[in-house]
Protein backbone atom coordinates (compact mmCIF):
# COMPACT_ATOMS: atom_id res chain seq x y z
CA UNK A 1 0.00 0.00 0.00
CA UNK A 2 1.32 3.43 -0.95
CA UNK A 3 1.46 5.84 2.00
CA UNK A 4 0.46 9.44 1.24
CA UNK A 5 2.91 11.62 3.18
CA UNK A 6 1.53 15.09 2.41
CA UNK A 7 -1.35 15.08 4.90
CA UNK A 8 0.93 13.75 7.63
CA UNK A 9 3.57 16.41 6.94
CA UNK A 10 0.87 19.07 6.94
CA UNK A 11 -0.46 17.93 10.31
CA UNK A 12 3.05 17.93 11.80
CA UNK A 13 3.72 21.44 10.48
CA UNK A 14 0.47 22.73 11.91
CA UNK A 15 1.27 21.26 15.31
CA UNK A 16 4.74 22.83 15.25
CA UNK A 17 3.68 26.25 14.03
CA UNK A 18 0.44 26.77 15.92
CA UNK A 19 1.92 27.27 19.41
CA UNK A 20 4.26 29.96 18.04
CA UNK A 21 1.38 31.67 16.27
CA UNK A 22 -0.73 31.60 19.41
CA UNK A 23 2.16 33.00 21.47
CA UNK A 24 2.55 35.89 19.05
CA UNK A 25 -1.18 36.61 18.86
CA UNK A 26 -1.40 36.65 22.66
CA UNK A 27 0.79 39.76 22.57
CA UNK A 28 -1.33 41.45 19.92
CA UNK A 29 -0.16 42.89 16.61
CA UNK A 30 2.81 45.21 16.20
CA UNK A 31 1.99 48.91 16.11
CA UNK A 32 2.39 50.86 12.88
CA UNK A 33 5.70 52.71 12.73
CA UNK A 34 5.96 56.27 11.33
CA UNK A 35 9.41 57.69 10.53
CA UNK A 36 10.10 61.21 11.78
CA UNK A 37 13.74 61.50 10.67
CA UNK A 38 16.19 58.89 9.34
CA UNK A 39 18.60 61.23 7.59
CA UNK A 40 21.71 60.31 9.61
CA UNK A 41 23.11 57.28 11.50
CA UNK A 42 22.91 56.14 15.11
CA UNK A 43 20.00 58.09 16.61
CA UNK A 44 20.81 58.15 20.32
CA UNK A 45 17.95 59.49 22.43
CA UNK A 46 15.20 62.09 22.17
CA UNK A 47 14.54 65.23 24.20
CA UNK A 48 11.36 67.26 23.98
CA UNK A 49 10.37 70.94 23.89
CA UNK A 50 7.98 73.16 21.95
CA UNK A 51 10.71 75.26 20.37
CA UNK A 52 8.47 77.29 18.04
CA UNK A 53 5.68 77.60 20.63
CA UNK A 54 2.94 76.27 18.37
CA UNK A 55 1.58 73.88 21.00
CA UNK A 56 3.17 70.74 19.50
CA UNK A 57 6.19 68.85 20.91
CA UNK A 58 9.43 69.01 18.92
CA UNK A 59 12.43 66.70 19.40
CA UNK A 60 16.21 66.93 19.39
CA UNK A 61 18.51 63.94 18.88
CA UNK A 62 22.23 63.31 18.87
CA UNK A 63 23.19 60.95 16.03
CA UNK A 64 26.25 59.18 17.40
CA UNK A 65 27.61 57.47 14.28
CA UNK A 66 26.55 60.29 11.97
CA UNK A 67 28.12 62.99 14.16
CA UNK A 68 25.09 65.26 13.94
CA UNK A 69 22.75 67.09 16.28
CA UNK A 70 19.35 67.32 14.60
CA UNK A 71 16.10 69.06 15.56
CA UNK A 72 12.76 67.94 14.13
CA UNK A 73 9.78 70.30 14.16
CA UNK A 74 6.32 68.83 14.68
CA UNK A 75 4.15 69.56 11.61
CA UNK A 76 0.89 69.12 13.56
CA UNK A 77 -1.58 66.23 13.70
CA UNK A 78 -2.63 66.43 10.03
CA UNK A 79 0.91 65.75 8.77
CA UNK A 80 2.40 63.93 11.75
CA UNK A 81 2.53 60.59 9.92
CA UNK A 82 4.90 61.99 7.28
CA UNK A 83 8.58 62.82 7.80
CA UNK A 84 8.91 65.97 9.86
CA UNK A 85 10.78 69.15 8.87
CA UNK A 86 14.28 68.86 10.32
CA UNK A 87 17.47 70.86 10.66
CA UNK A 88 21.12 70.05 11.33
CA UNK A 89 21.96 72.39 14.21
CA UNK A 90 25.56 71.25 14.60
CA UNK A 91 28.21 68.72 13.63
CA UNK A 92 30.05 67.05 16.51
CA UNK A 93 31.75 63.69 17.14
CA UNK A 94 30.30 60.89 19.30
CA UNK A 95 27.26 62.74 20.70
CA UNK A 96 25.47 60.85 23.47
CA UNK A 97 22.86 63.41 24.47
CA UNK A 98 21.26 66.61 23.24
CA UNK A 99 18.84 68.73 25.25
CA UNK A 100 16.80 71.89 24.63
CA UNK A 101 17.41 74.96 26.82
CA UNK A 102 17.21 78.73 26.36
CA UNK A 103 20.70 79.15 27.75
CA UNK A 104 21.10 82.90 27.15
CA UNK A 105 17.47 83.85 27.93
CA UNK A 106 16.91 85.53 24.58
CA UNK A 107 13.60 83.75 23.98
CA UNK A 108 15.06 81.28 21.45
CA UNK A 109 15.54 77.69 22.59
CA UNK A 110 19.11 76.47 22.11
CA UNK A 111 20.57 72.96 22.26
CA UNK A 112 23.35 71.59 24.48
CA UNK A 113 25.04 68.36 23.36
CA UNK A 114 27.29 66.00 25.33
CA UNK A 115 29.97 63.91 23.63
CA UNK A 116 31.91 60.83 24.73
CA UNK A 117 34.75 58.82 23.15
CA UNK A 118 37.85 60.86 22.43
CA UNK A 119 35.80 64.01 21.89
CA UNK A 120 35.04 64.54 25.61
CA UNK A 121 33.33 67.88 25.11
CA UNK A 122 30.06 69.72 25.72
CA UNK A 123 28.77 71.94 22.92
CA UNK A 124 26.23 74.75 22.80
CA UNK A 125 24.24 75.12 19.60
CA UNK A 126 22.86 78.66 19.60
CA UNK A 127 19.45 79.00 17.98
CA UNK A 128 18.46 81.86 15.67
CA UNK A 129 16.20 84.36 17.46
CA UNK A 130 13.92 84.60 14.45
CA UNK A 131 11.57 81.58 14.67
CA UNK A 132 11.12 81.66 10.90
CA UNK A 133 14.81 80.70 10.59
CA UNK A 134 14.67 77.63 12.86
CA UNK A 135 15.04 75.26 9.91
CA UNK A 136 17.92 77.24 8.41
CA UNK A 137 21.05 75.31 9.42
CA UNK A 138 23.23 78.28 8.53
CA UNK A 139 21.62 80.38 11.25
CA UNK A 140 22.58 77.97 14.05
CA UNK A 141 26.00 78.45 15.67
CA UNK A 142 28.01 75.75 17.49
CA UNK A 143 30.56 76.54 20.22
CA UNK A 144 32.45 74.36 22.71
CA UNK A 145 32.16 74.87 26.48
CA UNK A 146 35.86 75.23 27.41
CA UNK A 147 35.66 74.09 31.05
CA UNK A 148 34.14 70.75 29.96
CA UNK A 149 36.85 69.84 27.45
CA UNK A 150 38.65 66.57 28.29
CA UNK A 151 37.12 66.47 31.79
CA UNK A 152 35.41 63.12 31.08
CA UNK A 153 33.31 61.28 28.51
CA UNK A 154 30.08 63.28 28.71
CA UNK A 155 26.83 61.31 28.70
CA UNK A 156 23.99 63.50 29.92
CA UNK A 157 23.04 67.11 30.63
CA UNK A 158 20.17 68.59 32.64
CA UNK A 159 19.38 72.34 32.60
CA UNK A 160 18.70 73.47 36.17
CA UNK A 161 18.95 76.66 38.22
CA UNK A 162 21.32 75.88 41.08
CA UNK A 163 22.82 79.08 42.50
CA UNK A 164 19.83 81.42 42.23
CA UNK A 165 21.73 83.98 40.17
CA UNK A 166 22.45 84.87 36.55
CA UNK A 167 21.05 82.43 34.00
CA UNK A 168 20.19 78.77 34.13
CA UNK A 169 22.98 76.37 35.08
CA UNK A 170 23.67 72.90 33.70
CA UNK A 171 23.98 69.58 35.50
CA UNK A 172 26.49 67.44 33.59
CA UNK A 173 27.39 63.76 33.95
CA UNK A 174 29.69 61.24 32.33
CA UNK A 175 31.06 57.73 32.30
CA UNK A 176 34.38 55.93 32.62
CA UNK A 177 37.62 57.05 34.24
CA UNK A 178 37.21 60.28 36.19
CA UNK A 179 33.46 60.41 35.59
CA UNK A 180 31.35 62.62 37.84
CA UNK A 181 28.07 64.39 38.22
CA UNK A 182 28.53 68.11 38.69
CA UNK A 183 27.17 71.46 37.65
CA UNK A 184 28.30 74.13 35.26
CA UNK A 185 27.76 77.55 36.82
CA UNK A 186 26.50 80.21 34.46
CA UNK A 187 28.26 83.59 34.43
CA UNK A 188 26.43 86.92 34.11
CA UNK A 189 26.54 86.61 30.33
CA UNK A 190 25.88 82.98 29.35
CA UNK A 191 27.28 83.66 25.87
CA UNK A 192 30.73 84.09 27.42
CA UNK A 193 31.40 80.37 27.48
CA UNK A 194 34.95 80.77 28.76
CA UNK A 195 33.53 82.19 32.00
CA UNK A 196 31.47 79.13 32.95
CA UNK A 197 32.85 77.16 35.93
CA UNK A 198 32.57 73.46 36.89
CA UNK A 199 31.65 72.07 40.34
CA UNK A 200 31.74 68.25 40.79
CA UNK A 201 29.31 66.72 43.33
CA UNK A 202 29.36 62.92 42.84
CA UNK A 203 31.83 60.26 41.66
CA UNK A 204 30.13 58.37 38.84
CA UNK A 205 30.55 55.16 36.89
CA UNK A 206 28.18 55.55 33.94
CA UNK A 207 25.26 57.92 34.39
CA UNK A 208 22.06 57.01 32.56
CA UNK A 209 19.43 59.35 34.04
CA UNK A 210 19.26 62.75 35.72
CA UNK A 211 16.08 64.25 37.20
CA UNK A 212 15.61 67.38 39.29
CA UNK A 213 13.18 67.06 42.19
CA UNK A 214 12.79 68.59 45.64
CA UNK A 215 13.03 65.15 47.21
CA UNK A 216 13.31 66.27 50.84
CA UNK A 217 10.84 69.15 50.61
CA UNK A 218 13.28 71.84 51.72
CA UNK A 219 12.65 74.19 48.81
CA UNK A 220 15.65 73.44 46.59
CA UNK A 221 16.17 71.01 43.73
CA UNK A 222 17.88 67.70 44.45
CA UNK A 223 19.05 65.20 41.83
CA UNK A 224 17.72 61.68 41.22
CA UNK A 225 20.12 59.59 39.15
CA UNK A 226 20.76 56.07 37.87
CA UNK A 227 24.36 54.90 37.65
CA UNK A 228 25.07 51.89 35.45
CA UNK A 229 28.65 50.95 36.40
CA UNK A 230 31.24 51.27 39.13
CA UNK A 231 31.21 51.21 42.91
CA UNK A 232 28.04 53.34 43.12
CA UNK A 233 25.94 51.52 40.55
CA UNK A 234 22.25 51.72 41.33
CA UNK A 235 19.65 54.43 41.94
CA UNK A 236 20.38 57.40 44.23
CA UNK A 237 19.27 60.88 45.12
CA UNK A 238 21.78 63.64 45.76
CA UNK A 239 20.81 66.13 48.43
CA UNK A 240 21.31 69.77 47.48
CA UNK A 241 23.18 71.43 50.40
CA UNK A 242 20.95 74.44 49.92
CA UNK A 243 23.53 77.20 50.33
CA UNK A 244 22.59 78.55 46.91
CA UNK A 245 25.35 80.60 45.28
CA UNK A 246 28.24 79.52 47.51
CA UNK A 247 27.58 75.75 47.51
CA UNK A 248 30.24 75.21 50.16
CA UNK A 249 28.83 71.95 51.51
CA UNK A 250 28.98 68.61 49.72
CA UNK A 251 25.94 67.01 48.13
CA UNK A 252 25.03 64.05 50.32
CA UNK A 253 24.37 60.76 48.49
CA UNK A 254 21.26 58.81 49.52
CA UNK A 255 20.93 55.33 48.02
CA UNK A 256 17.49 54.14 46.97
CA UNK A 257 18.68 50.77 45.63
CA UNK A 258 22.30 49.67 45.18
CA UNK A 259 24.39 47.06 43.40
CA UNK A 260 22.58 46.66 40.12
CA UNK A 261 23.25 47.90 36.61
CA UNK A 262 20.68 50.69 36.52
CA UNK A 263 19.58 51.88 33.08
CA UNK A 264 17.15 54.65 32.11
CA UNK A 265 14.59 55.63 34.75
CA UNK A 266 11.30 57.49 34.77
CA UNK A 267 9.54 59.32 37.61
CA UNK A 268 5.76 58.85 37.83
CA UNK A 269 3.13 58.21 40.51
CA UNK A 270 2.58 54.63 39.37
CA UNK A 271 -0.01 53.58 41.94
CA UNK A 272 -1.70 57.03 42.09
CA UNK A 273 -1.31 57.41 45.84
CA UNK A 274 -0.07 60.98 45.60
CA UNK A 275 3.64 60.15 45.90
CA UNK A 276 5.95 60.11 42.89
CA UNK A 277 7.63 56.74 42.35
CA UNK A 278 10.71 55.71 40.37
CA UNK A 279 10.77 52.98 37.73
CA UNK A 280 14.01 51.88 36.10
CA UNK A 281 15.31 49.12 33.88
CA UNK A 282 18.11 46.98 35.29
CA UNK A 283 20.60 44.51 33.85
CA UNK A 284 22.31 41.36 35.11
CA UNK A 285 19.67 40.15 35.65
CA UNK A 286 17.23 41.80 33.25
CA UNK A 287 14.44 43.24 35.40
CA UNK A 288 12.23 46.26 35.90
CA UNK A 289 12.69 47.91 39.29
CA UNK A 290 9.67 49.72 40.75
CA UNK A 291 10.69 51.91 43.68
CA UNK A 292 7.39 52.75 45.30
CA UNK A 293 7.63 55.82 47.47
CA UNK A 294 6.11 55.04 50.83
CA UNK A 295 6.76 58.24 52.75
CA UNK A 296 7.06 61.88 51.80
CA UNK A 297 9.27 63.00 54.68
CA UNK A 298 11.75 61.74 55.43
CA UNK A 299 11.88 60.18 51.94
CA UNK A 300 11.49 56.40 51.80
CA UNK A 301 10.93 53.81 49.07
CA UNK A 302 10.22 50.09 48.88
CA UNK A 303 11.53 47.95 46.02
CA UNK A 304 9.35 45.74 43.84
CA UNK A 305 10.87 43.65 41.03
CA UNK A 306 8.92 43.17 37.80
CA UNK A 307 10.09 40.34 35.58
CA UNK A 308 10.99 40.85 31.94
CA UNK A 309 8.97 38.63 29.56
CA UNK A 310 10.44 36.06 27.19
CA UNK A 311 11.49 36.78 23.60
CA UNK A 312 12.43 40.42 24.13
CA UNK A 313 15.73 42.29 24.11
CA UNK A 314 17.72 43.55 27.07
CA UNK A 315 16.02 46.12 29.31
CA UNK A 316 17.03 49.67 28.34
CA UNK A 317 14.33 52.29 28.99
CA UNK A 318 10.89 52.41 30.55
CA UNK A 319 7.98 54.84 30.55
CA UNK A 320 4.81 54.79 32.64
CA UNK A 321 1.49 55.67 30.97
CA UNK A 322 -2.10 54.51 30.58
CA UNK A 323 -1.68 52.84 27.19
CA UNK A 324 -5.16 51.29 26.88
CA UNK A 325 -7.17 54.08 28.57
CA UNK A 326 -8.47 51.79 31.32
CA UNK A 327 -7.45 54.14 34.14
CA UNK A 328 -4.45 52.04 35.27
CA UNK A 329 -0.83 52.90 34.60
CA UNK A 330 1.07 50.54 32.29
CA UNK A 331 4.77 50.12 31.52
CA UNK A 332 6.23 50.82 28.07
CA UNK A 333 9.68 49.22 27.67
CA UNK A 334 12.37 49.58 25.02
CA UNK A 335 15.37 47.28 24.66
CA UNK A 336 18.85 46.85 23.27
CA UNK A 337 20.16 43.58 21.84
CA UNK A 338 16.74 42.93 20.31
CA UNK A 339 17.83 40.96 17.24
CA UNK A 340 14.89 38.84 16.00
CA UNK A 341 12.98 39.49 19.25
CA UNK A 342 10.79 42.38 20.35
CA UNK A 343 12.59 45.62 21.14
CA UNK A 344 9.55 47.60 22.27
CA UNK A 345 6.45 46.42 24.11
CA UNK A 346 4.05 47.42 26.86
CA UNK A 347 2.92 45.57 29.98
CA UNK A 348 -0.23 45.74 32.12
CA UNK A 349 -0.86 44.44 35.62
CA UNK A 350 -3.87 42.47 36.86
CA UNK A 351 -4.55 43.60 40.42
CA UNK A 352 -1.62 45.68 41.67
CA UNK A 353 1.46 47.39 40.17
CA UNK A 354 3.55 45.62 42.81
CA UNK A 355 2.98 42.28 41.03
CA UNK A 356 6.12 40.58 39.75
CA UNK A 357 4.60 39.29 36.50
CA UNK A 358 2.77 41.65 34.16
CA UNK A 359 1.04 40.80 30.87
CA UNK A 360 3.03 41.69 27.75
CA UNK A 361 1.55 43.41 24.68
CA UNK A 362 3.45 43.94 21.44
CA UNK A 363 4.59 47.29 20.01
CA UNK A 364 7.63 46.84 17.74
CA UNK A 365 7.36 43.27 16.53
CA UNK A 366 10.50 41.33 15.63
CA UNK A 367 11.31 42.31 12.04
CA UNK A 368 13.13 45.64 12.56
CA UNK A 369 14.98 47.31 15.40
CA UNK A 370 17.88 46.16 17.59
CA UNK A 371 19.01 48.99 19.89
CA UNK A 372 16.28 51.33 21.10
CA UNK A 373 16.62 54.26 23.50
CA UNK A 374 14.43 56.52 25.66
CA UNK A 375 10.70 56.19 24.97
CA UNK A 376 8.05 58.83 25.61
CA UNK A 377 4.26 58.49 25.38
CA UNK A 378 2.55 61.38 23.56
CA UNK A 379 -0.73 61.60 21.65
CA UNK A 380 0.91 62.77 18.43
CA UNK A 381 -2.07 62.19 16.13
CA UNK A 382 -4.58 63.73 18.59
CA UNK A 383 -6.89 60.71 18.48
CA UNK A 384 -7.25 60.30 22.25
CA UNK A 385 -4.65 57.59 22.95
CA UNK A 386 -0.95 57.78 23.69
CA UNK A 387 1.60 56.90 21.01
CA UNK A 388 5.19 55.76 21.62
CA UNK A 389 8.04 58.03 20.46
CA UNK A 390 11.57 56.62 20.45
CA UNK A 391 14.67 56.07 18.31
CA UNK A 392 16.88 53.18 17.21
CA UNK A 393 20.55 53.18 16.26
CA UNK A 394 21.59 49.75 14.92
CA UNK A 395 19.08 49.11 12.13
CA UNK A 396 19.16 52.88 11.53
CA UNK A 397 15.43 53.30 11.95
CA UNK A 398 16.20 56.81 13.18
CA UNK A 399 13.63 58.81 15.12
CA UNK A 400 10.06 57.53 14.80
CA UNK A 401 6.79 56.88 16.56
CA UNK A 402 4.53 53.88 16.94
CA UNK A 403 0.84 54.56 16.44
CA UNK A 404 -1.28 53.23 19.29
CA UNK A 405 -3.99 51.07 17.62
CA UNK A 406 -6.49 51.57 20.47
CA UNK A 407 -8.69 54.16 18.74
CA UNK A 408 -8.37 52.48 15.34
CA UNK A 409 -9.60 49.21 16.87
CA UNK A 410 -12.52 51.03 18.50
CA UNK A 411 -13.61 52.38 15.13
Amino acid sequence: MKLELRPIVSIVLVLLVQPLAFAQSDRGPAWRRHTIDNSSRGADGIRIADINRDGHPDFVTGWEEGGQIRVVVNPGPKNVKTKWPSVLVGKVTRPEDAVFVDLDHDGAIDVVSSCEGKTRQVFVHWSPQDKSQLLNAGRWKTESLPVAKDEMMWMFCLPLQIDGQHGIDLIGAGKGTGAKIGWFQSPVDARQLDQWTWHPIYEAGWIMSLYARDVDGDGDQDIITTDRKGKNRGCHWLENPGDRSEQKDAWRVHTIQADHEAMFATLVDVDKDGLEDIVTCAKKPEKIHFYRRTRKQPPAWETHIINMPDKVGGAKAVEVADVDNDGDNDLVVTCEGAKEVSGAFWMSYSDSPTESDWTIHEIAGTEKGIKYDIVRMIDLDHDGDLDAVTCEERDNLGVFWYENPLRAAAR
Side-chain angles (χ1 to χ4, degrees), residues 35 111 193 225 252 336 343 355 378:
T35 298
V111 173
L193 294 182
T225 184
R252 184 179 173 188
E336 58 186 9
E355 297 167 359
I378 305 170

Side-chain angles (χ1 to χ4, degrees), residues 176-221:
T177 303
K180 292 179 175 62
I181 295 176
W183 63 287
F184 297 103
Q185 186 173 25
S186 173
V188 175
D189 181 1
R191 286 266 183 173
Q192 300 298 315
L193 294 182
D194 60 346
Q195 295 180 23
W196 285 69
T197 53
W198 167 248
H199 306 277
I201 61 176
Y202 167 85
E203 291 187 9
W206 182 340
I207 297 301
M208 296 295 292
S209 298
L210 292 172
Y211 287 96
R213 292 291 190 275
D214 184 5
V215 178
D216 52 5
D218 65 355
D220 55 35
Q221 294 292 295

Side-chain angles (χ1 to χ4, degrees), residues 264-385:
F264 288 117
T266 189
L267 276 56
V268 179
D269 182 2
V270 178
D271 54 3
K272 301 184 180 181
D273 65 351
L275 297 176
E276 188 175 56
D277 309 303
I278 305 169
V279 185
T280 181
C281 290
K283 288 187 170 297
K284 299 177 183 178
E286 307 282 343
K287 301 287 184 180
I288 306 294
H289 287 207
F290 168 28
Y291 306 128
R292 179 178 173 269
R293 189 157 181 176
T294 57
R295 189 173 60 217
K296 190 171 184 179
Q297 299 304 333
W301 292 263
E302 62 184 21
T303 299
H304 299 275
I305 304 299
I306 301 171
N307 294 320
M308 285 283 283
D310 295 331
K311 299 179 182 178
V312 300
K316 182 73 177 288
V318 60
E319 180 67 306
V320 177
D322 183 1
V323 176
D324 53 0
N325 287 356
D326 67 351
D328 294 329
N329 276 323
D330 308 299
L331 300 182
V332 180
V333 182
T334 53
C335 302
E336 58 186 9
K339 190 173 180 60
E340 298 180 351
V341 294
S342 181
F345 55 91
W346 68 280
M347 296 195 295
S348 57
Y349 65 84
S350 297
D351 299 313
S352 169
T354 60
E355 297 167 359
S356 58
D357 292 301
W358 293 35
T359 300
I360 181 175
H361 312 271
E362 192 58 75
I363 291 181
T366 60
E367 292 186 7
K368 291 285 187 179
I370 296 174
K371 188 179 181 182
Y372 293 79
D373 209 90
I374 293 171
V375 58
R376 293 290 178 255
M377 298 301 291
I378 305 170
D379 184 5
L380 285 180
D381 51 7
H382 290 208
D383 67 349
D385 55 33

Side-chain angles (χ1 to χ4, degrees), residues 204-270:
W206 182 340
I207 297 301
M208 296 295 292
S209 298
L210 292 172
Y211 287 96
R213 292 291 190 275
D214 184 5
V215 178
D216 52 5
D218 65 355
D220 55 35
Q221 294 292 295
D222 310 299
I223 302 297
I224 294 176
T225 184
T226 50
D227 198 343
R228 182 175 180 177
K229 298 285 188 180
K231 64 180 182 180
N232 293 324
R233 65 181 193 153
C235 183
H236 316 277
W237 71 277
L238 313 180
E239 183 179 351
N240 191 325
D243 48 12
R244 304 293 284 176
S245 61
E246 295 183 10
Q247 288 277 314
K248 291 180 179 179
D249 297 328
W251 289 54
R252 184 179 173 188
V253 179
H254 301 267
T255 297
I256 297 169
Q257 182 71 32
D259 200 27
H260 68 280
E261 193 170 331
M263 305 296 284
F264 288 117
T266 189
L267 276 56
V268 179
D269 182 2
V270 178

Side-chain angles (χ1 to χ4, degrees), residues 379-400:
D379 184 5
L380 285 180
D381 51 7
H382 290 208
D383 67 349
D385 55 33
L386 296 174
D387 309 298
V389 187
T390 186
C391 61
E392 193 278 337
E393 61 176 306
R394 285 293 177 266
D395 272 348
N396 281 318
L397 299 182
V399 181
F400 52 91

